[in-house]
Amino acid sequence: PVVRTPEGKGLKLNDRPFKEQVEAVFVSLGAILEEAGSDPSKLVSVRVYVTDIELWGEFNTLYEEFVGDHKPARAVVPVPTLHYGFQIELEAIASY
């Protein structure tokens, strides 16, 4: 599986470290928000699926860097597996 960056470049991420997967998710989410006329400060709700709850602390640090002082509603959902071997999946709702 390939994730597209805002520049249109493809990145194969399923075999990359967790931190790189999270960073790519935030790059993609940021681009989607911008395209919709929104930004991270307008996130309303975020649901995070992780395959290893022990990675939550690492995710949380990166998440706080992405959203800053804004605190949207958030839920973490531990799951046994995700498509293509990814360790994280994110679902977000934002206003614009």
Side-chain angles (χ1 to χ4, degrees):
V2 174
V3 175
R4 296 276 170 213
T5 66
E7 301 82 29
K9 297 178 183 175
L11 299 173
K12 185 177 178 193
L13 292 171
N14 57 319
D15 58 353
R16 305 301 297 185
F18 181 73
K19 181 179 180 185
E20 289 182 35
Q21 290 185 19
V22 174
E23 289 169 342
V25 165
F26 288 144
V27 166
S28 294
L29 178 56
I32 292 166
L33 291 170
E34 184 178 328
E35 181 69 23
S38 191
D39 61 63
S41 71
K42 296 177 183 167
L43 284 167
V44 176
S45 176
V46 178
R47 183 173 298 141
V48 184
Y49 301 89
V50 293
T51 58
D52 182 352
I53 197 66
E54 296 299 319
L55 297 170
W56 184 249
E58 184 177 357
F59 171 82
N60 204 45
T61 299
L62 297 166
Y63 178 81
E64 288 175 356
E65 291 173 12
F66 181 73
V67 299
D69 292 332
H70 180 59
K71 304 290 184 212
R74 180 174 61 167
V76 59
V77 182
V79 295
T81 59
L82 290 167
H83 280 3
Y84 308 112
F86 278 89
Q87 296 174 289
I88 184 165
E89 185 174 315
L90 190 136
E91 176 183 329
I93 299 171
S95 63
Y96 58 96

